[in-house]
Amino acid sequence: MKIHSALGLAILCVTGGATLAADGGYAINPASRETARLFYQAVYASSNNIAVDWTGSISSCNAGTISTDYQNATLRRINWFRAMAGLPASVTLDPVFNQKAQQAALMMSANNNLSHSPASSWLCYTTAGAEGASKSNLGLGHSGATGVSEGAIREAGSNNAPVGHRRWVLYPQTTRMGVGDVPATGNQYSGTAVWVQDGNFGAARPTVRDTFVAWPPKGYVPYTVVYPRWSFSYPSANFSSARVTMTENGNAFGVTQETVANGYGENTIVWLPSNMSNESHWIKPSADTVYNVTISNVVIGGKAQTFNYTVTVFDPDKVGADTPDQTPQGSAYLAPTTTGTYTFTPSPAATATQWRAINTAAYSLTDGAEGGLTNFTTNTSSGYSVVTADAASEGSKSFHLAHVQPVDQTLTLKNTLIPLGNASIRFDSRLGLAGTGQVARLEVSANDGVNWTTLHQQAGTQSGSTSSFGEKTFTTRTVSLAEFAGKSVLLRFRYAMDGGTYYPQSSAGAGWYIDNVQITGMETLTTTTTPADTTGNSFSFTAPASGSSMLQVRSGMYGYFGDWGNSLRVSTSGTTTPTVSATDCLFNWAERTVPSLLSPTTTTRTDVTPFSYRFYTTSNSALAISSADSHVYYYAAGRLNDLGHQSTWLAQAGCQ
């Protein structure tokens, strides 16, 4: 077995409340958690998973073109980072810069090497490509929007201590850039070039939000874009004697300062938390974590100054106290073809809101690959089969994902699902020969595949030449989807290439094997209306002639949208009178609203004077209504909790 080093980190530096900004770019202040969360979920995430559609060829040295959508996704990622950092975020793409950057990307990929001064003997050498190389951030192994975040902003690797790529992306004066990308082909890594020198170096500095430029910036920042190397930039500042100190939730937090190096964008000081490697990723926090940064003895204009700011690192997949519940409110029953008005609480950060109606059907799945890819779509490299007989936990076949090229491999369920309170996915997993940069992930998306959240992950542990093939047996993994109850979601298995080392084999024993996939407690989306824009806090829905629909709302920013919220099920009945009792209607609503407390869902009601109640075995709890006082009660942990008069709850649930 041989091991290859994924060069996604091998990039070189060039030396030498949300509103539209006045220039039409993004303008936000991440002092609000919800603003930062929605800005990430909508704008940042929308630049993922865009098709490159490259028309060129390395063998014929044809740089070709990439899709406009791919170029714009990279630009959107650049402006997202600039907006978060408080900079003018209206950078545009220059067609000439794009063309020369595309030539540079071809040269990097063709030669599997990086240079800002490539020799004329390089494969696919052109003078335009050489000029592009001299004025661009360059990378191998990451491209497009990912190349911006995981390459230029992350700045891993011993050669990137000055964070030069980051400083060029976050240079305040820049107004134009260019992008070029070549996808991985055969043994060639993907190549990327982002032209960052537009001739404005040294021009008058525009106003920036915080006077300084930091990454991560002041305010709320998703942990996924917080990297081990932190930086603070200020024009013409002398950081030679500056000292950085930090606290984490008020407790001392050690740092290691990098050697100060100027010559890239604005003068900058760089440091790492003392317990972190520059190659690592920030760990998902279990709760919002507050870091206070103090930088003392920064000499500006001959005078020493001290800067202090706070960064709150958070999980953008978790709602915060300022995230409204956008579950539609209104009648759960409508007569056929009649129209009802439904209200919701708008997100204070949103620049737009949409709603839709979806229809569902019961769903379950058991798939061990014996029938091939009937239930899944794939996005994988050529050269190996996703369905294999090399290994199986049951039957004779399994699904197999392998990195014959250093790019992500995905196996995505075709159906859009709506989890119930007891929803789960079970699968048998075997991670064979895999390096530390190869990560097996189960992911869920609540916004139609724009953004994905990790439900389970396992990284490879091997490095160097070895005769070991990693896991030789399957392990059953069970993951609850109860927290997504009422939402519409997609599921996928992704064998990720996170940088570092990887094994390029697809032979037996190498890569990730998946078998015996079982999905329960689900409905599947059958039809959906086109998302409709709405203003204010309400919309109108006309019931179909029969059946039931689920209403959803989502918030957006700058034309891009986040996750669909929880659903309200609206049933069509002969009259607006519920076909079930008000009590059962309330119980049904409660089960959909708080599935983590009331599961598994049930229609069985017990009447024992004065209570009517449903009991939930998973949580060992009960929900009840008392005829003695017409109050709603919740029983858990040996205690009966009075939730107030039933009229309040019936109105909220739309069950009157």
Side-chain angles (χ1 to χ4, degrees):
M1 292 284 176
K2 57 183 180 179
I3 187 170
H4 285 192
S5 177
L7 301 179
L9 308 176
I11 55 179
L12 302 180
C13 289
V14 178
T15 56
T19 59
L20 279 174
D23 56 9
Y26 306 145
I28 70 135
N29 187 345
S32 158
R33 187 187 191 279
E34 176 62 9
T35 297
R37 189 197 70 84
L38 184 57
F39 192 44
Y40 178 87
Q41 295 283 17
V43 179
Y44 181 100
S46 68
S47 57
N48 292 324
N49 307 311
I50 307 298
V52 61
D53 292 336
W54 183 49
T55 63
S57 166
I58 290 178
S59 61
S60 61
C61 288
N62 176 11
T65 60
I66 56 178
S67 71
T68 300
D69 286 347
Y70 197 78
Q71 290 178 324
N72 289 337
T74 303
L75 180 65
R76 187 155 65 253
R77 183 69 55 88
I78 290 168
N79 280 321
W80 185 90
F81 278 107
R82 290 176 65 89
M84 286 289 292
L87 306 176
S90 56
V91 171
T92 59
L93 294 179
D94 185 299
V96 176
F97 294 172
N98 286 343
Q99 187 271 330
K100 294 179 179 180
Q102 188 65 29
Q103 293 280 347
L106 174 69
M107 292 165 60
M108 305 305 125
S109 182
N111 293 275
N112 272 340
N113 201 357
L114 297 173
S115 174
H116 291 296
S117 303
S120 59
S121 58
W122 270 37
L123 294 173
C124 302
Y125 178 89
T126 61
T127 55
E131 184 183 5
S134 71
K135 297 188 180 291
S136 298
N137 287 343
L138 303 174
L140 287 174
H142 292 304
S143 60
T146 302
V148 175
S149 51
E150 289 297 305
I153 303 297
R154 183 183 174 198
E155 294 284 40
S158 59
N159 59 322
N160 291 320
V163 298
H165 309 92
R166 182 188 298 175
R167 289 153 74 169
W168 284 118
V169 172
L170 301 181
Y171 187 64
Q173 288 90 322
T174 301
T175 61
R176 296 176 298 143
M177 294 187 185
V179 299
D181 291 284
V182 171
T185 54
N187 294 322
Q188 266 64 45
Y189 294 104
S190 61
T192 189
V194 178
W195 186 299
V196 291
Q197 293 189 347
D198 64 350
N200 285 334
F201 184 77
R205 190 178 194 247
T207 300
V208 302
R209 185 183 60 231
D210 301 315
T211 70
F212 56 84
V213 178
W215 196 267
K218 175 182 176 182
Y220 285 90
V221 187
Y223 81 94
T224 50
V225 292
V226 176
Y227 304 108
R229 283 191 170 116
W230 290 41
S231 63
F232 177 97
S233 303
Y234 201 98
S236 302
N238 184 343
F239 292 105
S240 59
S241 298
R243 180 171 179 258
V244 180
T245 58
M246 291 178 67
T247 62
E248 181 186 63
N249 291 334
N251 301 312
F253 193 66
V255 303
T256 300
Q257 294 181 206
E258 301 277 19
T259 301
V260 175
N262 297 320
Y264 319 86
E266 295 189 323
N267 289 356
T268 299
I269 188 170
V270 182
W271 68 96
L272 298 90
S274 58
N275 63 338
M276 295 194 73
S277 161
N278 68 72
E279 300 275 3
S280 60
H281 283 85
W282 206 266
I283 298 173
K284 178 191 294 189
S286 58
D288 295 1
T289 307
V290 180
Y291 297 91
N292 185 266
V293 178
T294 300
I295 307 172
S296 58
N297 205 29
V298 180
V299 179
I300 301 172
K303 296 181 178 180
Q305 297 188 34
T306 296
F307 295 86
N308 182 271
Y309 60 98
T310 297
V311 178
T312 303
V313 180
F314 73 102
D315 181 357
D317 293 322
K318 293 183 177 179
V319 300
D322 59 349
T323 303
D325 179 3
Q326 294 189 296
T327 307
Q329 302 295 316
S331 176
Y333 297 88
L334 289 175
T337 69
T338 62
T339 300
T341 299
Y342 294 85
T343 61
F344 60 91
T345 304
S347 170
T351 61
T353 307
Q354 293 182 332
W355 73 276
R356 71 176 181 179
I358 63 176
N359 296 315
T360 63
Y363 180 85
S364 64
L365 175 71
T366 298
D367 192 335
E370 307 300 325
L373 293 171
T374 304
N375 297 303
F376 294 91
T377 60
T378 62
N379 186 3
T380 57
S381 302
S382 60
Y384 77 100
S385 176
V386 176
V387 176
T388 181
D390 290 342
S393 63
E394 294 184 6
S396 60
K397 297 178 180 178
S398 67
F399 301 109
H400 183 209
L401 300 176
H403 288 132
V404 295
Q405 295 176 342
V407 294
D408 292 354
Q409 311 287 297
T410 60
L411 180 70
T412 304
L413 189 71
K414 291 179 180 179
N415 292 74
T416 298
L417 304 178
I418 296 82
L420 304 175
N422 61 340
S424 68
I425 177 171
R426 176 194 180 279
F427 62 99
D428 296 337
S429 173
R430 173 183 164 182
L431 184 58
L433 181 64
T436 55
Q438 297 173 280
V439 185
R441 291 191 172 104
L442 171 67
E443 298 177 320
V444 61
S445 172
N447 59 351
D448 302 325
V450 173
N451 189 41
W452 294 87
T453 300
T454 299
L455 298 173
H456 167 81
Q457 68 176 21
Q458 179 183 358
T461 59
Q462 297 166 286
S463 61
S465 299
T466 178
S467 59
S468 173
F469 278 64
E471 293 179 340
K472 294 183 172 63
T473 60
F474 285 84
T475 300
T476 298
R477 313 287 188 186
T478 301
V479 179
S480 172
L481 290 162
E483 65 177 293
F484 296 93
K487 295 187 175 184
S488 50
V489 302
L490 298 173
L491 292 173
R492 75 177 183 184
F493 299 95
R494 178 166 71 101
Y495 194 32
M497 191 60 246
D498 279 3
T501 59
Y502 83 105
Y503 293 85
Q505 286 79 18
S506 61
S507 53
W512 187 21
Y513 294 91
I514 305 156
D515 199 5
N516 195 27
V517 179
Q518 299 180 27
I519 297 175
T520 57
M522 297 281 193
E523 294 181 335
T524 184
L525 186 151
T526 54
T527 60
T528 179
T529 61
T530 301
D533 295 331
T534 183
T535 59
N537 67 341
S538 66
F539 61 89
S540 297
F541 168 69
T542 301
S546 62
S548 66
S549 302
M550 299 176 74
L551 307 182
Q552 297 177 313
V553 172
R554 66 178 181 180
S555 297
M557 287 176 128
Y558 304 112
Y560 304 97
F561 289 86
D563 297 353
W564 289 103
N566 292 326
S567 306
L568 172 68
R569 189 182 299 273
V570 179
S571 298
T572 300
S573 60
T575 68
T576 57
T577 302
T579 58
V580 298
S581 70
T583 297
D584 284 321
C585 175
L586 176 60
F587 289 164
N588 294 341
W589 172 85
E591 290 169 4
R592 297 193 301 270
T593 304
V594 285
S596 60
L597 299 178
L598 308 176
S599 64
T601 56
T602 178
T603 59
T604 302
R605 192 184 87 199
T606 302
D607 296 309
V608 178
T609 305
F611 292 107
S612 295
Y613 69 90
R614 291 184 186 177
F615 182 73
Y616 305 96
T617 56
T618 298
S619 55
N620 195 32
S621 63
L623 188 66
I625 294 179
S626 172
S627 60
D629 59 6
S630 297
H631 278 219
V632 179
Y633 291 87
Y634 176 64
Y635 173 83
R639 182 176 179 179
L640 190 64
N641 303 279
D642 189 344
L643 303 182
H645 200 277
Q646 67 174 343
S647 61
T648 302
W649 291 104
L650 290 169
Q652 184 172 346
C655 294
Q656 294 179 311

